[in-house]
Amino acid sequence: MTTTSDAPARTRPRGRDRVLLVVVVFLAVSAVASVLLAAAQAATGLPTDVLVLTQLATAFGAVVTWLLWRGRLVLPPVRRGGLRVPLLASLGVAAVVVAVAAVAQAVWGGWPPLDPATLGAPLVVVLAAQLLGAAGEEVGWRGLVQPLLETRLPVLGAAVVTGLLFGLGHVHVLAAGPVVYALFLVSAVGLSVALAYVTTGRSVVQRVVLGTALHWLVNVVLLVGFSGGDASARWTATTAVATVVAGAVCALVAARAARRAAPTAA
């Protein structure tokens, strides 16, 4: 005999299916928001070197998704707190990116430091807008997608998938050619891995705060130190190497810390 309490369980997605459905809805809403925000940017004439409005699309996707599944999303347990250590780690990641980009600059040249006069707004406004853009992206990726995937995948696997989704969403990069797009995907995965290991085990709010800080630092480093780079394969390869090295360092440090924390066999 079937009880009334059993019937809903058959139609309600659970486990892996629930995570997949949530991510698909998030991506769909974000895609629609991206189109609308791109139209708003064109209508207002807001310079893209100040803020790319489509960076806020994933924030819209995350908010709508949270509202649809309010109180029903299962996220990883919070095991860590505090911001000092991960913020220092973020500075370390930014330093790695600077070092790799500086080596590339010394070898190839072509990316001088930023001349603020070339910007569409005062530098302080641009930096504030860049912070807003980084936060808009991290609300979706580190606040929703990464922790959701961590309930079904190891941290590294969740980070790689999150990075691929983030990179694939930047379809405008295809205008620079398939090689640049592929290299951009690699750089997106590298940054995602670094962000994952800095934020994993923390609350959603701390994930977003830390992810925003690290994402913003990397963007500022590339903007101020190297004029934001360009759309060439050489520059995109440089950022790919920089973020992959930073991600690998974060993964190795996390693995070493996990081995130290593991109880020793008697």
Side-chain angles (χ1 to χ4, degrees), residues 1 10 20 29 47 106-107 125 141 151 158 164 179 225 230 244:
M1 178 177 179
R10 291 197 180 116
L20 178 60
V29 174
V107 173
V125 174
W141 298 114
T151 65
L164 285 173
V179 173
D230 54 37
V244 167

Side-chain angles (χ1 to χ4, degrees), residues 222-238:
L222 299 180
L223 171 67
V224 175
F226 307 92
S227 297
D230 54 37
S232 68
R234 186 173 63 181
W235 170 255
T236 316
T238 297

Side-chain angles (χ1 to χ4, degrees), residues 4 12 23 38 46 62 66 84 98 104 107 119-120 124 139 153 158 163 179 206 220 230 234 243 245 252:
T4 55
R12 187 168 60 248
V23 172
L46 177 67
W66 279 109
R84 185 176 64 88
V98 169
V107 173
L119 296 174
V124 65
V139 166
L153 297 170
V179 173
Q206 285 199 341
V220 168
D230 54 37
R234 186 173 63 181
T243 58
V245 169
L252 291 172

